[in-house]
Amino acid sequence: NAGVTQTPKFQVLKTGQSMTLQCAQDMNHEYMSWYRQDPGMGLRLIHYSVGAGITDQGEVPNGYNVSRSTTEDFPLRLLSAAPSQTSVYFCASSRQGNYGYTFGSGTRLTVV
Amino acid sequence: DAKTTQPPSMDCAEGRAANLPCNHSTISGNEYVYWYRQIHSQGPQYIIHGLKNNETNEMASLIITEDRKSSTLILPHATLRDTAVYYCIAMGAGSYQLTFGKGTKLSVIP
């Protein structure tokens, strides 16, 4: 059982470039989320989804797009990378209801 | 979701019980208390959660006071691998956002 898989693990982008962070889960979880973590800070929610075809914004959505065409996948798109988006990005998933989230191992993104 | 307050850091001797407190004095009736931990540079790991009854699983025990204004996470026999930042989060039923504060940095000392 792989859990939540994030790719790539590391990425360096130039300002203005676009890219997609991949997230896949094999637990048939309805809920999926993207968080970012900056040094010395807690995780902040970017976007979340409660099921295929349904997404919504979190606390810090600007500069990011998401889609959820399948239950398993929840990619995060950076439209035009900025240095302020340098961060560690975590994807998480959970069953519907009051259950804990399973997190991926993270993508470390640097924008230069 | 209710705000939680945790001490910034704690030490615990290896093999002893680690008791991590959390204050959530404004918690509402439908909010659960969740505990996660984050070992350096890894993704957060779910530990345990509860509403009002005490809970135990293979990782830890959660003790919630009767008035639900505070709780304690207990790691019964701390090991060096339990060194991590521990987050206490109050989250309502049907909420999708985990609000992470600064947590408690637990250092297990040999």
Side-chain angles (χ1 to χ4, degrees):
Chain A
N1 217 359
V4 177
T5 302
Q6 292 185 237
T7 56
K9 293 191 182 307
F10 300 93
Q11 184 70 51
V12 178
L13 285 180
K14 293 184 179 178
T15 298
Q17 287 185 316
S18 62
M19 79 159 294
T20 299
L21 280 61
Q22 301 291 345
C23 176
Q25 52 93 8
D26 61 357
M27 298 170 284
N28 204 33
H29 285 173
E30 295 87 353
Y31 296 169
M32 295 187 75
S33 307
W34 276 102
Y35 289 84
R36 62 177 287 175
Q37 185 172 33
D38 300 308
M41 296 183 67
L43 283 77
R44 294 181 292 170
L45 181 66
I46 305 171
H47 285 285
Y48 65 94
S49 169
V50 299
I54 306 170
T55 64
D56 206 345
Q57 297 180 352
E59 180 185 354
V60 288
N62 291 342
Y64 307 96
N65 270 359
V66 291
S67 60
R68 184 107 179 262
S69 56
T70 67
T71 299
E72 294 78 18
D73 300 299
F74 191 42
L76 178 72
R77 296 182 187 84
L78 278 70
L79 309 173
S80 177
S84 61
Q85 294 179 304
T86 293
S87 190
V88 183
Y89 292 84
F90 291 103
C91 179
S93 72
S94 173
R95 292 169 57 187
Q96 186 177 9
N98 302 304
Y99 298 95
Y101 276 81
T102 300
F103 282 79
S105 58
T107 294
R108 283 148 185 81
L109 175 68
T110 301
V111 183
V112 297
Chain B
D1 297 331
K3 179 179 166 63
T4 61
T5 304
Q6 300 176 252
S9 64
M10 292 181 63
D11 291 340
C12 177
E14 188 178 16
R16 304 295 294 269
N19 297 282
L20 291 90
C22 179
N23 180 284
H24 32 79
S25 57
T26 62
I27 198 169
S28 62
N30 73 340
E31 287 184 303
Y32 286 73
V33 178
Y34 286 80
W35 283 84
Y36 287 78
R37 72 180 182 183
Q38 187 172 25
I39 298 170
H40 180 62
S41 76
Q42 297 181 19
Q45 178 187 23
Y46 163 78
I47 302 172
I48 198 168
H49 75 284
L51 184 63
K52 49 186 172 182
N53 297 324
N54 298 337
E55 302 287 345
T56 295
N57 63 19
E58 64 279 4
M59 289 183 66
S61 294
L62 174 60
I63 308 298
I64 302 174
T65 58
E66 192 168 343
D67 63 8
R68 301 210 325 121
K69 293 183 185 296
S70 65
S71 60
T72 301
L73 178 75
I74 301 172
L75 307 178
H77 305 287
T79 71
L80 298 180
R81 287 174 293 184
D82 292 321
T83 292
V85 178
Y86 287 76
Y87 298 98
C88 168
I89 298 169
M91 191 164 90
S95 175
Y96 311 112
Q97 176 168 344
L98 291 166
T99 301
F100 288 82
K102 294 190 182 300
T104 296
K105 181 173 171 55
L106 175 69
S107 299
V108 180
I109 312 298

